[in-house]
Amino acid sequence: MSENTYAGVLPILALRGLVVFPDQTIHFDVGRPKSVMALEEAMKKDQTLLLIPQKDLLVDDPKLADLYPIGTVGKIKQVLKSQGDNLRVLVTGLCRARITEIQQSEPYLSGMVESIAEEAEGDSLRSHALRREANTLYNSYLELTEHPAQLIQMKMLASESDGFLADSIAQNSGIEFPGKIKLLSQLNPTKRLELAIKLLRQESEMLRLESDIQEKTRATLDQNQRDYFLREQMKVIRDELGEDDEESEFDTYIQSIRSLKLEEDSEKKLLKDVDRLKKQPFGSSEGAVLRNYLDTVLELPWNKRTKERVDVEAGRKILDHDHFGMEKVKERILETLAVRQMAPDMPPQILCLVGPPGVGKTSISYSIAKSLNRKLARISLGGVRDEADIRGHRKTYVGAMPGRIITALIQAGSFNPVLLLDEIDKMGMDQRGDPAAALLEVLDAEQNHAYRDHYLEIPVDLSDVMFITTANSLDTVPRPLLDRMEVIELGSYTDEEKLMIAKNHLFPKQLAKHGLKKSQLKITDDAIREMIYCYTRESGVRNLERSFAEICRKADMQILSQETPKKITVTGKNLEEFLGVRKYLPDRLPCTDQVGLVTGLAWTSVGGETLEVEVNVMDGSGKLELTGNLGDVMKESAHAAMSYIRANAAKLGVPTDFYKTKDIHVHFPEGAVPKDGPSAGVTVCTALVSALTGATVRRDVAMTGEISIRGRVMQIGGLREKTMAALRHGITTVIIPKDNLRDLEEIDQTVRKQLNFVTAETVDAVLSVALNPKTELDPSIRIPEDVKTPACGLRQ
């Protein structure tokens, strides 16, 4: 303990963030003008002054109230000139002292100072133990700081003063400023030593923690990323202190998740992922995966729904404006809207629009979305083979992303959109799974209220989504998937419908696209019909629209030429100048009735077609040859016809041994085109009977129907398209199975008026109409009396 005492007037030097203790030597810089003048005044006298800390470091001109009550009288040992006007001072503390009176505050601070007597030290066993503990603890502290101080250690070990030991620890350690003020103010040496030990122990713990932080961050420290090091230090400090001070990014995630008002389990999972993200080191790959996941989840339009407009009359106007014809289809769609209007809480029906290419399946879906005031997102399923395309990939995979359903919801920006699943019949499957099976949950109204995408891993409610699927054929659609949808069939357009669509929709659309006006380009109805008959053979109007585009392009070229008039008219006569040579020749009937030549009717993906069957009978050994690129079903139909003819040879007027003495060749022209299906059975049978009996077949008659070996004519499909093909071909009479009588209601009125329909239940009825009356057949062949004539020009 210092035995120095003092009383008198001294210059006062206010210290900022610094404390000087008795019997301790320290150097510091002096820069404030008042402090420099106080220092100079002390040097002029006995080189003593009062060193007293100030309370607020920001106060530049402290008064008595700004100073702590206790300071230290110091002896100046050395003064050196430093940078600028600053001075480097070396002082030694003499004793604790207080200010009793301020003498002056200008040009420097001075006042009456008196020393403070400390309490007497005891020489108890406790004091001895405290000194040993202090020395040991200070040695450990120096090891942590890696700053050797042998001279100080030697003085402390040699001292038996509790006060000197406490002041030495305070002056030569990193104890914080408030702690040093407490030590300076404590006049009891033993208590001061206890406080010094406590504060030094806290400082040692802090140093160990800093060392641990550095050890943890040193392994991943990059010399070029100082900010990374700082973030790691802050993170470990928060973990050790138990503080919950999230960065703004994490706060944003948490607030966004809670604002969604999700189910408890979903919200808990997302918040858990945010906690995992906070623990990830900066720049880690898992952190990037979690950020992408959270961004994707928050991007979903969880609580966004468009206000649905369910108005049948408004829907009718939109459908009529956007699409010509298709009355049955429009009526069925309006019925769906009516159900929505009457029962708004009922889950939307899942519609499947089936029809050949180009008939407006996709465009009518857009019209449905417009009439309901719902947003629409299109998902193309053509060529999809991976189940993960529908349900998403697990986050564990590199480049994982949500499935197409979730992506479509994000694209639509609404939780009640119309989702168009286009070309659902074109999906495949391989070793990666079956996407059609993944759609079973999506399209099931009983399950899709809690649809789980593999990427999201939380339930998503799809019950408000209206699904519309499109397909060209239902043959490749799995039955469980088809069972979940309501099928609406879109048939081929008739030629008259194509004419009206071309005039009202396609031609004006192409005029606008090519910068033309109606006054500059005119296309006559005859030219449009020529385009339909001779340049396009399709069920829809896509190729017809391309033909209009080609005409418009050539019209642009001619209008820009100075040698031609500014108005162009396209007629049937000059159509070849714009579209080139006709791609298809008009179908023509044979000039005369012929033996073994029969016109059948077939359905293809582009609509109905006529199908000629030719039969030649030659002397031989009973061989039957079938040519024309036929499928197995069509070959079986030919064999069934042969079986019927052999069993009824006498009745038909056919030699009973023809299958032994004659070779028969059945040929279907256009051999490059694959053909299959059972509906050509009656056509083959009629051609065989004609060739074997020599009876001619009426050239104005076409037929369709499956045949059995007992001579029954059975139901077929695609009657609407087949009858259109018959009308184009110039046919006047069409023979159909009796079971297809009800399908006549679906046939276009124009076609029904121009064709005569004959229903047949047996082959006998077909032969009686198709073969010319002069043919001598068995009198037992006649049309059954139960064949009735419907009111559409049907004849027996």
Side-chain angles (χ1 to χ4, degrees):
M1 179 178 71
S2 175
E3 297 180 355
N4 296 316
T5 60
Y6 190 90
V9 178
L10 287 178
I12 300 172
L13 180 61
L15 302 177
R16 288 195 284 196
L18 182 65
V19 180
V20 177
F21 289 87
D23 299 321
Q24 305 297 320
T25 300
I26 186 172
H27 60 81
F28 54 88
D29 291 336
V30 177
R32 287 184 288 186
K34 279 191 175 184
S35 300
V36 172
M37 294 185 69
L39 193 62
E40 291 174 349
E41 181 66 21
M43 292 297 293
K44 292 176 183 178
K45 296 181 179 181
D46 59 355
Q47 300 177 351
T48 58
L49 75 170
L50 180 64
L51 303 170
I52 188 165
Q54 67 182 63
K55 298 176 182 178
D56 190 349
L57 303 182
L58 300 179
V59 175
D60 197 57
D61 186 13
K63 308 300 180 184
L64 181 61
D66 298 320
L67 304 176
Y68 281 102
I70 296 181
T72 303
V73 175
K75 184 78 172 180
I76 300 172
K77 297 294 186 180
Q78 187 181 38
V79 178
L80 297 175
K81 187 74 173 176
S82 185
Q83 295 179 351
D85 297 331
N86 293 342
L87 299 176
R88 172 66 60 91
V89 183
L90 181 67
V91 298
T92 298
L94 300 178
C95 63
R96 287 173 169 80
R98 68 168 64 93
I99 302 171
T100 59
E101 183 182 354
I102 293 293
Q103 296 289 330
Q104 68 177 44
S105 58
E106 297 294 340
Y108 61 88
L109 196 63
S110 68
M112 183 64 67
V113 176
E114 67 176 10
S115 60
I116 303 175
E118 297 185 14
E119 298 178 10
E121 293 190 9
D123 192 16
S124 64
L125 187 62
R126 174 176 174 78
S127 296
H128 184 68
L130 286 174
R131 289 194 295 273
R132 289 183 61 180
E133 173 67 17
N135 283 307
T136 303
L137 188 59
Y138 189 69
N139 288 336
S140 301
Y141 171 80
L142 292 178
E143 290 176 1
L144 290 173
T145 58
E146 299 180 355
H147 292 303
Q150 295 180 355
L151 182 60
I152 297 173
Q153 283 182 285
M154 290 176 62
K155 289 183 178 180
M156 292 174 61
L157 288 171
S159 175
E160 294 184 357
S161 169
D162 294 352
F164 175 79
L165 205 58
D167 291 343
S168 297
I169 291 173
Q171 193 71 74
N172 299 286
S173 69
I175 294 175
E176 295 181 352
F177 180 73
K180 290 184 177 182
I181 294 296
K182 292 179 180 179
L183 290 171
L184 184 65
S185 302
Q186 180 57 254
L187 301 180
N188 186 305
T190 304
K191 291 183 179 179
R192 186 159 71 242
L193 183 57
E194 291 177 353
L195 180 59
I197 292 172
K198 177 182 178 182
L199 294 175
L200 185 60
R201 183 173 285 113
Q202 291 178 357
E203 183 66 19
S204 298
E205 288 297 325
M206 185 63 70
L207 287 176
R208 288 192 186 92
L209 180 58
E210 289 180 356
S211 178
D212 291 341
I213 292 171
Q214 292 176 357
E215 287 296 328
K216 291 178 181 178
T217 57
R218 189 174 292 120
T220 55
L221 181 62
D222 191 326
Q223 296 297 330
N224 298 323
Q225 293 181 339
R226 179 174 174 80
D227 57 340
Y228 170 68
F229 173 71
L230 295 175
R231 287 190 183 93
E232 288 296 308
Q233 283 190 321
M234 292 170 61
K235 188 178 297 183
V236 175
I237 289 171
R238 284 197 298 268
D239 290 343
E240 294 292 338
L241 297 178
E243 294 178 355
D244 190 21
D245 183 20
E246 294 86 4
E247 297 179 6
S248 59
E249 178 190 14
F250 307 131
D251 291 335
T252 303
Y253 277 134
I254 292 173
Q255 291 172 8
S256 300
I257 291 169
R258 287 175 175 164
S259 66
L260 296 178
K261 305 297 182 184
L262 301 177
E263 294 180 1
E264 183 180 355
D265 292 341
S266 300
E267 183 175 303
K268 186 183 297 183
K269 182 193 179 307
L270 295 178
L271 293 176
K272 183 179 178 181
D273 286 333
V274 175
D275 289 337
R276 288 176 55 201
L277 178 60
K278 287 194 292 186
K279 297 175 184 177
Q280 299 303 315
F282 178 75
S284 71
S285 59
E286 187 174 355
V289 170
L290 287 171
R291 278 185 176 86
N292 290 337
Y293 169 73
L294 292 172
D295 290 342
T296 301
V297 172
L298 295 176
E299 197 176 357
L300 273 169
W302 289 99
N303 300 315
K304 296 180 182 178
R305 284 172 170 77
T306 56
K307 187 176 181 181
E308 189 177 41
R309 180 187 63 232
V310 183
D311 188 337
V312 175
E313 289 305 318
R316 188 189 304 277
K317 291 179 181 178
I318 292 174
L319 291 174
D320 289 340
H321 178 269
D322 295 344
H323 300 274
F324 180 82
M326 304 168 64
E327 299 303 329
K328 294 286 185 181
V329 176
K330 292 179 184 177
E331 196 63 30
R332 180 62 192 85
I333 293 172
L334 291 175
E335 290 172 2
T336 302
L337 298 183
V339 173
R340 292 289 299 164
Q341 188 170 350
M342 296 296 292
D345 296 333
M346 180 179 176
Q349 293 174 295
I350 300 169
L351 304 179
C352 179
L353 307 179
V354 182
V359 296
K361 298 184 297 296
T362 302
S363 62
I364 206 168
S365 302
Y366 283 86
S367 298
I368 294 173
K370 189 193 303 183
S371 64
L372 290 172
N373 191 36
R374 290 191 179 205
K375 296 183 179 180
L376 183 137
R378 177 177 172 271
I379 304 174
S380 178
L381 298 178
V384 173
R385 293 178 172 272
D386 190 353
E387 176 256 356
D389 281 346
I390 305 297
R391 304 202 64 156
H393 301 78
R394 305 266 182 202
K395 294 198 300 292
T396 53
Y397 295 103
V398 177
M401 61 182 68
R404 298 199 180 194
I405 303 298
I406 300 300
T407 303
L409 287 178
I410 296 174
Q411 176 188 346
S414 166
F415 243 44
N416 65 335
V418 174
L419 288 192
L420 173 60
L421 307 180
D422 215 0
E423 310 292 354
I424 197 172
D425 58 325
K426 305 298 191 303
M427 289 189 300
M429 62 177 295
D430 57 16
Q431 72 278 2
R432 293 171 293 182
D434 184 3
L439 283 176
L440 292 177
E441 180 185 0
V442 176
L443 300 181
D444 192 338
E446 301 298 327
Q447 302 180 40
N448 62 12
H449 65 279
Y451 170 71
R452 286 183 179 269
D453 185 272
H454 287 163
Y455 182 80
L456 295 186
E457 297 178 339
I458 58 177
V460 177
D461 187 3
L462 300 179
S463 59
D464 287 340
V465 177
M466 182 174 186
F467 291 96
I468 300 177
T469 65
T470 69
N472 296 129
S473 173
L474 297 178
D475 296 339
T476 57
V477 180
R479 296 303 304 176
L481 186 60
L482 188 61
D483 184 58
R484 285 164 165 76
M485 302 181 290
E486 188 160 351
V487 177
I488 299 177
E489 294 187 2
L490 282 74
S492 303
Y493 290 121
T494 65
D495 294 340
E496 290 302 314
E497 286 177 338
K498 290 181 181 180
L499 176 64
M500 298 304 298
I501 292 171
K503 291 171 62 176
N504 298 331
H505 296 277
L506 304 183
F507 183 47
K509 178 181 176 182
Q510 292 302 321
L511 283 177
K513 278 188 175 183
H514 292 81
L516 294 169
K517 299 178 181 178
K518 291 183 179 180
S519 59
Q520 293 176 305
L521 178 62
K522 180 182 179 182
I523 302 179
T524 64
D525 289 357
D526 291 339
I528 296 176
R529 285 193 173 92
E530 283 286 316
M531 292 166 63
I532 295 170
Y533 298 151
C534 302
Y535 289 91
T536 62
R537 286 223 175 156
E538 57 179 344
S539 55
V541 290
R542 283 181 183 163
N543 289 329
L544 184 59
E545 185 173 9
R546 294 189 186 101
S547 299
F548 278 115
E550 186 174 354
I551 292 174
C552 290
R553 289 196 299 270
K554 286 186 169 55
D556 283 340
M557 287 292 295
Q558 290 187 16
I559 290 174
L560 294 176
S561 174
Q562 298 179 356
E563 301 176 358
T564 56
K566 297 300 182 182
K567 183 176 181 180
I568 299 172
T569 301
V570 181
T571 65
K573 294 181 179 180
N574 66 352
L575 186 60
E576 289 190 359
E577 297 176 10
F578 293 87
L579 297 180
V581 180
R582 288 166 169 76
K583 298 178 182 179
Y584 307 102
L585 296 176
D587 294 328
R588 294 188 179 90
L589 295 174
C591 298
T592 59
D593 296 341
Q594 299 184 28
V595 175
L597 178 62
V598 182
T599 302
L601 299 174
W603 182 90
T604 67
S605 60
V606 297
E609 295 286 346
T610 57
L611 183 68
E612 291 186 343
V613 179
E614 300 175 345
V615 175
N616 274 346
V617 178
M618 304 152 286
D619 292 335
S621 57
K623 295 179 180 179
L624 175 63
E625 187 170 1
L626 305 173
T627 58
N629 200 354
L630 309 182
D632 292 338
V633 176
M634 188 169 279
K635 290 178 181 179
E636 291 172 359
S637 296
H639 285 291
M642 279 290 294
S643 178
Y644 170 75
I645 294 172
R646 284 183 59 183
N648 298 275
K651 182 173 67 172
L652 297 172
V654 176
T656 55
D657 60 348
F658 77 95
Y659 62 92
K660 297 179 181 178
T661 60
K662 302 292 182 182
D663 285 346
I664 301 175
H665 185 180
V666 180
H667 177 66
F668 292 78
E670 300 183 14
V673 180
K675 308 172 189 68
D676 203 2
S679 62
V682 294
T683 310
V684 174
C685 184
T686 303
L688 286 171
V689 172
S690 171
L692 290 170
T693 61
T696 59
V697 182
R698 289 174 54 187
R699 63 183 184 277
D700 63 338
V701 172
M703 60 190 69
T704 180
E706 183 179 354
I707 189 175
S708 73
I709 60 175
R710 304 298 297 270
R712 292 182 295 119
V713 179
M714 294 181 290
Q715 185 178 3
I716 47 84
L719 184 63
R720 184 173 184 269
E721 289 79 9
K722 291 178 180 179
T723 55
M724 293 180 192
L727 182 61
R728 282 199 305 267
H729 197 68
I731 300 296
T732 60
T733 302
V734 176
I735 303 174
I736 62 174
K738 183 180 179 182
D739 291 340
N740 286 104
L741 181 63
R742 61 181 181 276
D743 296 331
L744 293 178
E745 297 297 327
E746 304 294 330
I747 295 176
D748 187 81
Q749 293 294 330
T750 305
V751 177
R752 291 178 62 182
K753 290 177 181 178
Q754 298 187 42
L755 292 178
N756 290 327
F757 292 90
V758 177
T759 59
E761 193 173 8
T762 63
V763 174
D764 296 346
V766 175
L767 296 176
S768 67
V769 176
L771 300 181
N772 283 312
K774 63 180 181 180
T775 305
E776 294 182 1
L777 295 176
D778 190 290
S780 63
I781 298 179
R782 60 185 180 84
I783 301 176
E785 294 180 358
D786 60 346
V787 177
K788 298 181 181 179
T789 303
C792 59
L794 202 70
R795 54 171 293 216
Q796 299 192 80

